[in-house]
Amino acid sequence: MHYFSFSDSSLHAEKVSLYKIAEQHGTPTFVYSANTIRDHYQSLDQALAPIDHEVAYAVKANSNIAVLSLLAKAGSSFDIVSGGELFRVVKAGGDPAKCTFAGVGKTREEIEYALELGIHAFNVESEAELIFINKVAGEVEKKAPVSIRINPNVDAKTHKYISTGKSENKFGIDFDLISGVFERAAQMEHIELKGLQMHIGSQLTTVQPFADAVTKVAPLAADLKAKYGIEFFSIGGGIGIIYDPALESGSKEWWDAHNEDDRPLTAAEYAETLIPILKPLGLKILLEPGRYIVGNAGVLLTRCLYEKKGTAKTFKIVDAGMNDLIRPALYEGYHEIVPVTQSGPVNTVKTDVVGPVCETGDFFCQDRELPDFREGDLIALMSAGAYGAVMGSTYNSRPLPTEILVDGEETTVIRKRQTYDDLLAQEI
Ligand SMILES: *Cc1c(COP(=O)(O)O)cnc(C)c1O
């Protein structure tokens, strides 16, 4: 579900034409829909209403402070993975007491900062980290609230680069070792045991891996509650979204022809499957969705610079590159490609849409049958709201693009385009 649709043959974000945004602000530009973000947050929050729960938005998916501010106002908690993200949440008006701090490599500075601001809990990912947090908390005469991340060793059935819940992944503590770690943590003077956490991977399109993981770990959560009085069980993020709209339009014929695994995972199905397993625990359940909240709520607007017909391929070269949106290059991410202005039927051609960056991996699609857009035409790379702008770099000395938030008829620039001077500002 999202609020990007055609009106008067032009793609709009809510009530605003993307064509007009490009005229006014140039390209490449990320455009987000505020109401899509709100809706996604609310749909998940409501689906989980039958149990005591908190939705902690995973800041890393899109950490623009305007996005964080919008979610803070909607009542969201936050899952952070660095001191920088904590700083952003606070600047956005979020409450540090609603932040859980994940990540395998927290530094002394980050731990001190989080203790000082009074976060909800550290999600501890190794025994060494636990020992260090205990030490740092002792030095600043505080008790550190802690949950420990379990690696449940289940297969999330997602791309190997975004799978996190197998024993060979660097995240969390092995299922067989975790009870011992809790036992020792309970003895530590400056640690307060608050919860158990897991996160098995990202872009999961079926509920089964979640169900497997929760079923496997629930008895342990019950045991830890009885032994140490833990208060919450965080089941992580990872709910996938639809990147390929063919999956969404889903006629009956389409479904019949496709694999069960391609069906979209809805908040309702997620909740219906997991609530019966979670409810008997009597623990507060935390969710850490990132992509689900913002993924379909953003597009990257880009303009076609050139068309190049070779003997083997047709390339359309656009003004956005892998430095702006790296998902296709990094983990074979798919983005639907839509011409922003559509008047009448157009031919389709097999196309590689590529960026200007000097890397062979700088492409947005290869050999995809697409409307035959031309030099000067505007196109939208859909579903670029999550892991888009946040992963941007200035590689090839390309300034970071503009980010814009549309809310109904209102358009706000939420990050200005970098200038050449900005590019050099830190250099001496
Ligand atoms: C990245 C991450 C998330 C969010 O993942 P999504 O797939 O965007 O929902 C949640 N929790 C942790 C610990 C993460 O690292």
Side-chain angles (χ1 to χ4, degrees), residues 287-362:
L287 316 176
E288 305 164 358
R291 191 188 310 271
Y292 175 81
I293 305 281
V294 292
N296 284 333
V299 304
L300 176 56
L301 264 185
T302 178
R303 204 177 280 282
C304 181
L305 297 172
Y306 304 107
E307 184 177 54
K308 172 160 132 171
K309 282 199 162 85
T311 47
K313 292 236 184 193
T314 296
F315 296 99
K316 309 235 189 206
I317 301 155
V318 298
D319 66 3
M322 65 187 284
N323 68 300
D324 303 305
L325 179 61
I326 202 174
R327 295 188 60 261
L330 187 64
Y331 38 61
E332 302 171 313
Y334 182 100
H335 291 276
E336 190 196 359
I337 296 176
V338 179
V340 165
T341 309
Q342 292 183 0
S343 43
V346 277
N347 295 334
T348 62
V349 316
K350 211 173 237 187
T351 311
D352 281 30
V353 176
V354 303
V357 173
C358 300
E359 293 285 344
T360 303
D362 181 29

Side-chain angles (χ1 to χ4, degrees), residues 56-62 79-81 101-103 123 125 149 162 164 171 197-204 210 234-240 287-294 386-387:
Y57 169 64
V59 171
K60 74 176 192 280
N62 185 324
D79 187 68
I80 56 171
V81 293
F101 192 163
N123 286 339
E125 304 228 16
R149 177 168 179 175
I162 51 177
T164 57
F171 301 99
Q197 194 266 354
M198 67 179 177
H199 170 69
I200 59 172
S202 198
Q203 184 53 17
L204 275 65
F210 290 115
S234 171
I235 60 171
I239 304 175
L287 316 176
E288 305 164 358
R291 191 188 310 271
Y292 175 81
I293 305 281
V294 292
Y387 308 107

Side-chain angles (χ1 to χ4, degrees), residues 194-428:
K194 300 277 271 188
L196 177 68
Q197 194 266 354
M198 67 179 177
H199 170 69
I200 59 172
S202 198
Q203 184 53 17
L204 275 65
T205 50
T206 67
V207 77
Q208 198 54 48
F210 290 115
D212 291 349
V214 168
T215 305
K216 185 166 177 188
V217 175
L220 174 73
D223 184 47
L224 295 170
K225 183 186 175 205
K227 276 199 184 120
Y228 308 109
I230 64 165
E231 296 160 15
F232 71 86
F233 176 25
S234 171
I235 60 171
I239 304 175
I241 62 165
I242 300 296
Y243 281 99
D244 184 347
L247 308 188
E248 197 158 30
S249 55
S251 64
K252 184 174 178 314
E253 293 71 28
W254 191 92
W255 287 124
D256 289 347
H258 282 73
N259 194 316
E260 182 74 16
D261 286 356
D262 292 334
R263 283 167 197 266
L265 173 56
T266 62
E269 187 189 356
Y270 178 82
E272 270 165 32
T273 310
L274 300 184
I275 286 175
I277 318 171
L278 293 169
K279 194 163 187 172
L281 293 174
L283 286 163
K284 173 172 275 211
I285 302 302
L286 261 64
L287 316 176
E288 305 164 358
R291 191 188 310 271
Y292 175 81
I293 305 281
V294 292
N296 284 333
V299 304
L300 176 56
L301 264 185
T302 178
R303 204 177 280 282
C304 181
L305 297 172
Y306 304 107
E307 184 177 54
K308 172 160 132 171
K309 282 199 162 85
T311 47
K313 292 236 184 193
T314 296
F315 296 99
K316 309 235 189 206
I317 301 155
V318 298
D319 66 3
M322 65 187 284
N323 68 300
D324 303 305
L325 179 61
I326 202 174
R327 295 188 60 261
L330 187 64
Y331 38 61
E332 302 171 313
Y334 182 100
H335 291 276
E336 190 196 359
I337 296 176
V338 179
V340 165
T341 309
Q342 292 183 0
S343 43
V346 277
N347 295 334
T348 62
V349 316
K350 211 173 237 187
T351 311
D352 281 30
V353 176
V354 303
V357 173
C358 300
E359 293 285 344
T360 303
D362 181 29
F363 58 80
F364 295 115
C365 72
Q366 290 179 306
D367 294 321
R368 196 186 297 175
E369 199 68 32
L370 283 178
D372 192 12
F373 59 83
R374 293 298 163 87
E375 293 177 12
D377 286 353
L378 264 183
I379 61 168
L381 299 165
M382 305 301 289
S383 307
Y387 308 107
V390 283
M391 286 194 181
S393 79
T394 59
Y395 183 43
N396 280 204
S397 285
R398 290 168 46 80
L400 295 175
T402 308
E403 289 178 81
I404 283 177
L405 183 67
V406 172
D407 193 351
E409 291 172 356
E410 213 176 301
T411 301
T412 312
V413 175
I414 58 172
R415 186 178 72 188
K416 289 190 256 181
R417 189 177 305 285
Q418 267 191 329
T419 64
Y420 288 155
D421 282 326
D422 293 336
L423 274 182
L424 303 192
Q426 248 66 28
E427 295 177 30
I428 293 142

